[in-house]
Amino acid sequence: MEGLYQQTNKQVHEVQSYMGHLETSDKESVHLVENEIQARIDNIFSNLERLEILSSKEPPNKRQSAKLRVDQLKYDVQHLQTALRNFQHRRYLREQQERQREELLARTFTTNDADTTIPIDETLQFNESLQSAHRGMDELIGSGTSILAGLRDQRVTLKGTHKKILDVANMLGLSNTVMRLIEKRAFQDKFLMLGGMALTCLIMFLVVQYLT
């Protein structure tokens, strides 16, 4: 398990480094960077599924700690997934605004008897732009729903991690109590042993004194 954990942890750090390339990528290569990051994130999620199975097979004294480490990795990669989605949404909005601005700048007007008229083709183009904007809003709403679902998953994970930490703390407190009881019992047994030895010596002395 340790080898797979270290490999997955390294992959998480590599994705964090890759996230910095998104802001500096041009329009032609940003999609490639996004796909590369998503592929790495998917691979990490696959490793986490295997780590969860392996952590449940750890010895009882190591199982709790192993699960906490896996949960921390899961939280980190979920945070990276959310950051990637947020970047994609911002990029989509920028591209949508640029397209709409270019369409407005490309629109032409004709004059007829001092009246300004809009050609039918341009009206159709404007209508298509509005429909495209509606589709973009629908996709944005869907993406927002996905982000909220991811945040809810992170909340559940954090709650589980917090509960496990409390369980570990309670277990450590119980272990300290047991150790104190053992030390107290060992101290009492020491005095009982010394008392028994002294009593045995006294009995032997009396037996030898009165029988000889």
Side-chain angles (χ1 to χ4, degrees):
M1 174 184 173
E2 186 63 26
L4 182 59
Y5 172 82
Q6 294 297 337
Q7 177 185 352
T8 306
N9 189 40
K10 181 180 178 181
Q11 290 175 341
V12 170
H13 289 293
E14 289 176 350
V15 172
Q16 290 173 344
S17 176
Y18 252 73
M19 292 293 293
H21 297 166
L22 287 173
E23 297 293 344
T24 58
S25 300
D26 53 30
K27 294 181 180 180
E28 289 74 17
S29 61
V30 67
H31 296 285
L32 298 177
V33 177
E34 288 176 353
N35 293 337
E36 175 67 20
I37 292 176
Q38 187 60 60
R40 290 173 180 259
I41 289 176
D42 292 340
N43 186 40
I44 292 173
F45 275 122
S46 178
N47 288 347
L48 286 174
E49 292 179 357
R50 294 170 56 193
L51 283 172
E52 286 182 338
I53 297 174
L54 293 175
S55 63
S56 63
K57 297 180 180 180
E58 287 286 300
N61 58 334
K62 297 182 179 180
R63 189 176 304 160
Q64 196 72 21
S65 175
K67 289 184 177 179
L68 287 175
R69 296 170 70 192
V70 174
D71 287 341
Q72 182 60 46
L73 280 181
K74 184 184 296 184
Y75 172 78
D76 291 340
V77 73
Q78 286 176 344
H79 179 73
L80 292 173
Q81 180 71 81
T82 302
L84 176 61
R85 288 175 178 171
N86 288 337
F87 175 83
Q88 290 173 329
H89 298 155
R90 293 195 303 270
R91 177 181 58 77
Y92 175 80
L93 288 177
R94 287 197 303 268
E95 293 177 353
Q96 184 72 16
Q97 291 172 355
E98 290 177 0
R99 286 195 299 269
Q100 292 176 352
R101 183 166 57 250
E102 291 175 357
E103 291 171 357
L104 289 173
L105 293 175
R107 184 183 304 168
T108 58
F109 297 91
T110 60
T111 59
N112 184 16
D113 296 332
D115 293 329
T116 302
T117 60
I118 302 176
I120 296 178
D121 291 341
E122 298 298 331
T123 304
L124 292 175
Q125 184 179 4
F126 181 71
N127 185 46
E128 291 177 356
S129 299
L130 288 178
Q131 292 179 356
S132 178
H134 284 302
R135 288 195 298 269
M137 290 301 299
D138 292 338
E139 293 177 1
L140 183 60
I141 292 173
S143 300
T145 303
S146 299
I147 292 176
L148 289 176
L151 291 175
R152 284 195 295 269
D153 294 339
Q154 292 182 15
R155 181 184 179 188
V156 172
T157 301
L158 288 175
K159 282 186 176 181
T161 303
H162 182 258
K163 182 177 182 301
K164 292 175 181 178
I165 292 174
L166 292 178
D167 293 340
V168 171
N170 293 332
M171 183 175 63
L172 291 176
L174 178 61
S175 300
N176 292 334
T177 302
V178 173
M179 290 299 297
R180 286 196 295 270
L181 291 175
I182 293 174
E183 291 175 355
K184 182 177 180 181
R185 181 61 182 271
F187 185 75
Q188 293 174 349
D189 291 344
K190 180 180 179 181
F191 277 97
L192 289 175
M193 182 187 69
L194 293 176
M197 292 173 61
L199 181 61
T200 301
C201 292
L202 178 61
I203 293 173
M204 292 176 63
F205 175 76
L206 293 176
V207 169
V208 172
Q209 183 71 25
Y210 288 101
L211 296 180
T212 59

